[in-house]
Amino acid sequence: MASKLFASKLNQLRTLTPLRFQPLSIAALMTTPSPSSLTEEEGISMKGVKISGRPLYLDMQATSPVDPRVLDSMLPYYLSRYGNPHSRTHLYGWESDSAVELARSQVSSLIKASSKEIVFTSGATESNNISVKGVMHFYKEKKKHVITTQTEHKCVLDSCRHLQQEGFDVSYLPVGKDGILDLDLLRKSIRPDTGLVSVMMVNNEIGVIQPMEEIGKICKEFGIPFHTDAAQALGKVPIDVEKMNVSLMSLSGHKIYGPKGVGALYMRRRPRIRVEPQMNGGGQERGIRSGTVPTPLVVGMGAACELAMKEMEYDEKRIKGLQERLLNGITSKIDGVVVNGSTERRYAGNMNISFAYVEGESLLMGLKEVAVSSGSACTSASLEPSYVLRALGVEEDMAHTSIRFGIGRFTTEAEIDRAVELTVKQVEKLREMSPLYEMVKEGIDIKSIQWAQH
């Protein structure tokens, strides 16, 4: 395997050469003790937090580890087949170009599209920007209205706000308590000048799956382009762009055990969808996304898509079992646990749970041995409660206590059991210090209390 050979070569360099490397060389990195190589007694200390070892990783919606088989497919294009895929005069360029086109077909096959409809980008954020702003800018003479939901990813919402500053109208539709869009409300919101409907397929914070085929039928009925951010759906739920009548679809590599820094945009050819490019340059990717296509990253994304196609059904069953193990393990030991979002229409690997009568930040810090998050990695620096949960009507105190557990291909039963143990222990510890929980146990209705103002 190429990855094993690569690691072997690096280890040889490590043993043969003393510490005289340039600071930025790979070999120097290999010989420098990393935090994870410290002894158990020393532990790991980073950003003021000290733990005994590397935490369990249950944050798959933020990013996923690269599958070793994906890395194997990428390494030759770093080490020997390093040609620019746009070089047309020699072998190095030809073999890189062939690899890019193979990856394009691997991505398109997973969503049941044509390879000619795939444009490679730097990630789903760029694909979302091209879709939302690119479509509206191209059709700006006739179309001035966009419809989206209040629970979209921040890059879609910010793109819509950017359009508003340019004079476009945007309707931010609410969702139900289960996180699902009301189809009647969507139909009523459509105007003659509506130029785009953008709805996320699988929500990144709560995992709910929107009724894509029904939304697609409505858009087709009114002749409106339909865009979806499918970064969290690709390789996890079945996707058929024809059945869903999707015009544009944003995809990401690092959510499906591929590399970071690469994504793709599906653009329907019939009926043809047009966009205004958001970046000018050498005209690569049919002029829609200029810039040299990063062959190793694209190859990695293609390999990840091919693996997902082969293993999606198995992964889904396994992850569903781990999700049930996690939820049953927690709810059997503590009360006041609420699952946010629909329990029927959701991706099993995303479990967003709120714990009543605990302080959210304390809970998160207490779970330092488990890598989880309180919401989107793109907005987790804010102490404000999740805007997605607030859109569901979740009360602020419960929104503050939400934890998103992300389960993936490499998650083990032992990790789930340990996460359950640590979560239950921390919630019980915080509730012991909570006067509100004591009042609830005594049968007092907290909501009926009129707190004095000071």
Side-chain angles (χ1 to χ4, degrees):
M1 293 292 229
S3 57
K4 292 181 180 178
L5 177 63
F6 188 49
S8 173
K9 291 292 185 183
L10 289 176
N11 282 328
Q12 289 176 22
L13 288 171
R14 178 179 176 179
T15 55
L16 293 174
T17 313
L19 295 175
R20 293 181 182 177
F21 298 105
Q22 295 297 320
L24 295 180
S25 71
I26 296 176
L29 182 64
M30 293 294 293
T31 56
T32 304
S34 65
S36 59
S37 66
L38 299 175
T39 64
E40 192 169 327
E41 290 75 19
E42 291 175 314
I44 298 173
S45 183
M46 189 172 291
K47 293 187 180 292
V49 176
K50 188 171 183 178
I51 52 179
S52 59
R54 293 186 69 80
L56 311 177
Y57 189 77
L58 292 177
D59 199 15
M60 293 293 176
Q61 280 67 51
T63 193
S64 61
V66 174
D67 190 301
R69 295 167 292 181
V70 169
L71 180 60
D72 279 328
S73 71
M74 295 171 61
L75 286 176
Y77 296 93
Y78 279 120
L79 301 174
S80 56
R81 302 175 188 174
Y82 41 74
N84 187 319
H86 313 296
S87 297
R88 306 299 186 191
T89 57
H90 51 70
L91 174 66
Y92 288 88
W94 301 335
E95 63 187 4
S96 290
D97 179 59
S98 296
V100 167
E101 294 310 311
L102 173 60
R104 206 184 300 276
S105 66
Q106 290 169 322
V107 174
S108 65
S109 295
L110 186 54
I111 62 173
K112 294 182 169 56
S114 164
S115 61
K116 295 178 180 178
E117 298 174 308
I118 301 298
V119 172
F120 285 115
T121 67
S122 64
T125 291
E126 183 181 5
S127 297
N128 284 335
N129 273 262
I130 294 172
S131 299
V132 176
K133 292 188 283 191
V135 167
M136 295 310 294
H137 286 165
F138 191 88
Y139 297 104
K140 62 185 176 183
E141 299 302 324
K142 296 181 180 179
K143 304 295 183 180
K144 292 288 185 181
H145 180 231
V146 178
I147 297 175
T148 189
T149 74
Q150 296 175 0
T151 56
E152 293 300 300
H153 191 279
K154 197 171 186 295
C155 65
V156 169
L157 296 176
D158 280 358
S159 293
C160 288
R161 292 189 187 102
H162 181 84
L163 289 175
Q164 285 181 290
Q165 293 174 352
E166 296 179 342
F168 291 90
D169 292 333
V170 180
S171 296
Y172 299 95
L173 302 186
V175 295
K177 290 185 177 181
D178 58 359
I180 304 298
L181 175 63
D182 184 336
L183 297 176
D184 290 332
L185 179 60
L186 171 62
R187 183 181 291 274
K188 292 175 184 176
S189 302
I190 293 174
R191 306 184 336 201
D193 64 343
T194 300
L196 184 71
V197 171
S198 180
V199 179
M200 186 188 293
M201 189 179 300
V202 174
N203 189 272
N204 57 310
E205 289 199 28
I206 56 176
V208 300
I209 305 173
Q210 297 292 349
M212 299 301 294
E213 290 189 33
E214 291 84 349
I215 296 172
K217 287 178 183 177
I218 293 173
C219 292
K220 186 175 184 179
E221 178 185 338
F222 287 90
I224 300 170
F226 175 28
H227 165 253
T228 184
D229 177 354
Q232 298 289 346
L234 184 68
K236 298 167 186 173
V237 298
I239 299 175
D240 187 327
V241 292
E242 290 299 326
K243 287 184 179 179
M244 296 175 178
N245 192 50
V246 172
S247 306
L248 302 118
M249 180 182 290
S250 302
L251 308 170
S252 174
H254 73 104
K255 310 292 189 185
I256 55 166
Y257 313 98
K260 297 174 181 64
V262 65
L265 174 62
Y266 160 77
M267 293 182 61
R268 180 177 289 275
R269 297 182 75 209
R270 294 186 180 89
R272 187 182 182 189
I273 186 72
R274 306 289 296 276
V275 298
E276 180 183 277
Q278 300 299 296
M279 186 185 300
N280 299 316
Q284 292 90 344
E285 297 299 282
R286 306 202 310 274
I288 294 163
R289 203 284 182 182
S290 291
T292 301
V293 172
T295 308
L297 301 183
V298 164
V299 166
M301 184 174 182
C305 287
E306 184 170 318
L307 286 170
M309 185 181 296
K310 295 176 180 176
E311 301 180 3
M312 190 191 310
E313 187 176 347
Y314 172 80
D315 284 348
E316 183 181 9
K317 290 179 181 177
R318 184 174 175 278
I319 289 170
K320 178 65 176 174
L322 293 175
Q323 179 227 50
E324 292 173 353
R325 191 182 186 98
L326 174 73
L327 186 60
N328 294 337
I330 292 174
T331 56
S332 65
K333 295 179 175 66
I334 53 177
D335 58 5
V337 178
V338 178
V339 176
N340 296 306
S342 171
T343 54
E344 291 83 27
R345 294 186 59 91
R346 74 180 304 135
Y347 166 59
N350 183 327
M351 182 54 58
N352 191 304
I353 305 174
S354 289
F355 300 88
Y357 319 116
V358 298
E359 203 279 314
E361 193 176 355
S362 299
L363 176 58
L364 203 58
M365 291 305 296
L367 290 174
K368 57 189 177 183
E369 292 183 45
V370 185
V372 291
S373 74
S374 58
S376 169
C378 303
T379 57
S380 60
S382 170
L383 293 178
E384 290 295 315
S386 162
Y387 68 87
V388 172
L389 296 184
R390 296 308 303 273
L392 268 62
V394 177
E395 294 183 6
E396 187 167 341
D397 57 340
M398 289 295 280
H400 267 300
T401 68
S402 72
I403 298 291
R404 184 185 65 185
F405 295 91
I407 304 168
R409 179 180 294 167
F410 302 113
T411 307
T412 65
E413 291 184 352
E415 288 175 323
I416 293 295
D417 292 343
R418 180 61 174 160
V420 168
E421 178 188 344
L422 293 171
T423 301
V424 170
K425 180 180 178 181
Q426 187 63 18
V427 169
E428 289 177 340
K429 177 182 176 181
L430 292 174
R431 284 179 176 175
E432 284 177 7
M433 300 184 289
S434 170
L436 293 178
Y437 189 60
E438 286 296 321
M439 296 167 70
V440 170
K441 287 200 295 185
E442 293 171 7
I444 300 172
D445 184 2
I446 295 177
K447 293 183 180 179
S448 66
I449 298 175
Q450 293 185 352
W451 302 97
Q453 297 281 337
H454 292 287

